[in-house]
């Protein structure tokens, strides 16, 4: 008897109702989302033990795995074993890298099969907004520490407001605004548009983070000119967009590898990217590219430091996955992004196309691509996207409503 037939027979005997599978997904997703969010705040100082968040994420992974094994639909045994093989490859890379984000994200991605993605976005928005409000209030009343930071040679103060670093707050604001606009299908009324514009400038004033400020402005521009963007997206061949994306990813990695401080052009680019080419190049000088990942000791600016420390951190998400998780996982992640773009285009989910483009632009510089408390787009791989389809979209429709 086949494995899937045995599973179905066992579930029927136990009389497990289908809604249990959905309940398992939401439990696993909520647990991972909240845990990873808290790791990016100063609440980390109040964990019972250092291993506490990792135990919670492990529990989330186990719950997601149970959901997948008991309730996911597989075409056949080959489909099942393909998912298992990919999972094992990711697990090996995470073990080597000492970073488990990817394997837990992968399990949640599988467990999200047939869940409506718009429901996931709504839950994400509520959970992250609530988390930010609780964090801000805790800072205000001195329940957790507030961190401030300034750039070299700049007297301006940057505020983290309870996050471990100001850029993390800016990145959260970008993804929060992005998914809100995605949920609204890029159709904002005037009060929403003005409020989000104000939100964008407030975040920039507090964090002084240029990348996320630009990205947040771009989300609003996309909402304002959504019908024109849809026309452009329809005109551009999906193959061209995929090629442009792959060239961008390869380009940032090659620029990082070839960085030479004596080159005036690369010096300017490095300055614009706040020395990311310089620190990324240092990764190539200290480590080799591996097939299945490696542990890389890093010291970031986030959190509390006692005295001088040697800063060394990989910011670019793609370089981070390549160097920490290895070539195999890097190819899988890049291929998955291509698949997502192709699916969004085929299903006319143009809002998700724009969201993916902006997330990739962010990930060329920042490290949050594979962190589920920032970016939930990978959950679209197996979820129901009907809500986001624009097949009946009228190009003459206004994008900023006056209601």
């Amino acid at each position: 008897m086949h494995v899937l037939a045995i599973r179905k027979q066992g579930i029927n005997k136990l009389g497990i109702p289908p809604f249990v599978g959905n309940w398992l997904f939401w439990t696993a997703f909520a647990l991972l989302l909240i845990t990873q969010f808290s790791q990016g705040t100063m609440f980390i100082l109040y964990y019972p033990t250092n291993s506490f968040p990792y135990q919670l994420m492990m529990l989330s992974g186990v719950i997601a795995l149970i959901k997948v094994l008991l309730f996911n639909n597989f075409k056949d045994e080959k489909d099942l074993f393909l998912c298992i093989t990919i999972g094992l490859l990711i697990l090996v890379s995470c073990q080597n890298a000492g970073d488990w984000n990817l394997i837990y994200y992968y399990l949640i991605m599988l467990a999200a099969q047939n869940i409506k993605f718009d429901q996931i976005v709504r839950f994400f928005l509520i959970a992250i907004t609530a988390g930010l409000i609780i964090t801000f209030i805790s800072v205000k009343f001195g329940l957790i520490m507030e961190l401030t930071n300034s750039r070299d040679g700049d007297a301006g103060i940057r505020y983290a407001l309870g996050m471990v670093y100001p850029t993390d707050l800016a990145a959260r604001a970008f993804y929060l605004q992005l998914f809100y606009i995605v949920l609204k299908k890029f159709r904002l009324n005037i009060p929403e548009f003005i409020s989000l514009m104000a939100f964008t400038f407030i975040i920039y004033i507090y964090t002084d983070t240029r990348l996320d400020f630009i990205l947040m402005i771009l989300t609003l521009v996309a909402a304002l000119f959504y019908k024109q963007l849809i026309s452009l997206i329809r005109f551009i061949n999906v193959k061209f967009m995929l090629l442009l994306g792959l060239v961008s990813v390869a380009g940032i990695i090659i620029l990082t590898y070839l960085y030479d401080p004596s080159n005036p052009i690369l010096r300017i680019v490095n300055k614009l990217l706040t020395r990311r080419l310089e620190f990324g190049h240092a990764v190539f000088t200290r480590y080799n590219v591996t097939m299945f990942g490696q542990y890389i000791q890093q010291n970031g600016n986030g959190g509390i430091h006692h005295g001088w420390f040697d800063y060394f951190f990989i910011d670019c998400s793609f370089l981070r996955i390549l160097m920490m998780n290895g070539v195999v996982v890097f190819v899988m992640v890049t291929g998955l992004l291509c698949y997502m773009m192709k699916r969004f285009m085929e299903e006319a989910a143009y809002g998700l196309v724009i969201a993916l483009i902006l997330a990739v632009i962010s990930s060329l510089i920042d490290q949050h691509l594979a962190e589920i408390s920032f970016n939930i787009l990978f959950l679209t791989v197996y979820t129901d996207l009907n809500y986001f389809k624009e097949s009946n979209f009228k190009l003459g429709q206004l994008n900023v409503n006056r209601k």
Side-chain angles (χ1 to χ4, degrees):
M1 187 179 292
H2 294 298
V3 173
L4 296 178
I6 295 172
R7 183 189 69 164
K8 183 177 180 180
Q9 188 179 73
I11 291 174
N12 289 337
K13 283 185 178 180
L14 293 173
I16 303 175
F19 74 83
V20 173
N22 289 349
W23 180 85
L24 289 171
F25 163 75
W26 287 111
T27 301
F29 177 52
L31 190 57
L32 185 61
L33 187 69
I34 294 169
T35 302
Q36 285 198 358
F37 174 86
S38 70
Q39 283 185 299
T41 71
M42 295 309 295
F43 283 111
I44 56 175
L45 298 177
Y46 301 95
Y47 287 151
T49 63
N50 290 336
S51 63
F52 179 68
Y54 305 104
Q55 292 169 348
L56 291 180
M57 288 192 290
M58 188 180 298
L59 176 60
S60 169
V62 170
I63 295 171
L65 182 60
I66 292 172
K67 190 275 177 185
V68 171
L69 294 178
L70 292 183
F71 295 98
N72 268 34
N73 296 318
F74 297 98
K75 295 177 183 177
D76 48 36
E77 276 76 9
K78 290 181 181 179
D79 189 25
L80 170 62
F81 289 118
L82 176 62
C83 290
I84 293 173
T85 301
I86 292 173
L88 290 175
L89 289 173
I90 294 173
L91 181 63
V92 169
S93 79
C94 289
Q95 173 70 43
N96 291 338
D99 186 315
W100 302 92
N101 279 336
L102 274 177
I103 187 61
Y104 294 131
Y105 203 147
Y106 177 70
L107 291 172
I108 296 293
M109 184 186 79
L110 293 179
Q113 186 185 66
N114 297 328
I115 301 292
K116 293 182 178 180
F117 186 62
D118 56 298
Q119 293 179 354
I120 293 175
V121 175
R122 287 186 175 90
F123 184 86
F124 172 86
L125 292 173
I126 292 170
I128 298 302
T129 301
L132 287 171
I133 291 172
I134 291 170
T135 304
F136 296 161
I137 292 174
S138 299
V139 168
K140 177 66 177 178
F141 290 96
L143 300 177
I144 61 174
M145 186 180 298
E146 161 66 327
L147 297 179
T148 57
N149 177 271
S150 61
R151 300 184 191 278
D152 292 341
D154 189 343
I157 302 298
R158 308 169 69 202
Y159 296 89
L161 300 182
M163 301 295 116
V164 295
Y165 197 61
T167 54
D168 278 9
L169 173 59
R172 289 206 181 280
F174 159 62
Y175 278 108
L176 194 68
Q177 179 166 295
L178 174 63
F179 285 114
Y180 177 79
I181 294 176
V182 166
L183 187 64
K184 296 287 293 185
K185 298 184 178 180
F186 287 80
R187 297 168 177 83
L188 301 176
N189 57 42
I190 292 176
E192 286 174 326
F193 189 86
I194 294 173
S195 298
L196 291 176
M197 181 64 76
F199 176 64
T200 298
F201 278 94
I202 289 170
I203 291 296
Y204 179 66
I205 290 169
Y206 273 95
T207 66
D208 188 24
T209 304
R210 292 186 292 269
L211 169 66
D212 294 294
F213 174 69
I214 292 170
L215 289 170
M216 291 174 78
I217 291 294
L218 286 177
T219 62
L220 295 173
V221 171
L224 197 60
F225 297 101
Y226 187 50
K227 61 182 180 181
Q228 290 87 350
L229 281 175
I230 284 185
S231 298
L232 181 62
I233 288 170
R234 284 174 167 172
F235 175 76
I236 297 175
N237 190 294
V238 65
K239 291 181 180 179
F240 176 79
M241 287 199 292
L242 292 177
L243 178 62
L244 185 61
L246 291 173
V247 168
S248 299
V249 172
I252 193 66
I253 292 175
I254 292 171
L255 273 179
T256 303
Y257 180 78
L258 296 177
Y259 173 72
D260 183 348
S262 65
N263 185 306
I265 296 176
L266 290 179
R267 270 206 317 271
I268 294 172
V269 174
N270 184 52
K271 184 177 180 180
L272 291 173
L273 297 179
T274 57
R275 300 177 67 189
R276 282 175 168 84
L277 292 185
E278 176 185 341
F279 292 117
H281 181 74
V283 178
F284 285 114
T285 61
R286 300 183 191 185
Y287 299 90
N288 294 318
V289 178
T290 64
M291 291 300 292
F292 296 103
Q294 61 192 317
Y295 177 73
I296 297 178
Q297 179 66 45
Q298 298 175 70
N299 295 305
N301 280 326
I304 300 173
H305 297 282
H306 301 283
W308 181 90
F309 70 99
D310 181 22
Y311 178 85
F312 178 66
F313 194 80
I314 308 173
D315 283 296
C316 171
S317 292
F318 296 102
L319 181 60
R320 190 175 184 84
I321 291 171
L322 175 64
M323 298 304 294
M324 292 178 61
N325 297 99
V327 173
V328 172
V329 170
F330 173 79
V331 171
M332 289 195 298
V333 170
T334 307
L336 188 60
L337 290 170
C338 293
Y339 166 78
M340 289 161 59
M341 177 63 78
K342 188 171 182 294
R343 184 188 177 194
F344 297 162
M345 289 292 290
E346 289 176 349
E347 299 196 20
Y350 300 118
L352 294 178
V353 171
I354 295 170
L356 183 57
I357 291 171
L358 291 173
V360 168
I361 292 172
S362 172
S363 301
L364 291 173
I365 301 173
D366 271 351
Q367 74 270 23
H368 303 300
L369 177 67
E371 297 179 26
I372 204 168
S373 66
F374 288 88
N375 174 33
I376 53 173
L377 279 174
F378 284 115
L379 297 184
T380 58
V381 173
Y382 289 104
T383 49
D384 181 343
L385 303 181
N386 284 327
Y387 175 88
F388 299 96
K389 292 181 179 180
E390 297 280 12
S391 54
N392 297 319
F393 182 77
K394 297 179 181 178
L395 292 180
Q397 182 177 343
L398 287 175
N399 304 99
V400 178
N401 301 318
R402 297 184 179 274
K403 293 181 181 178

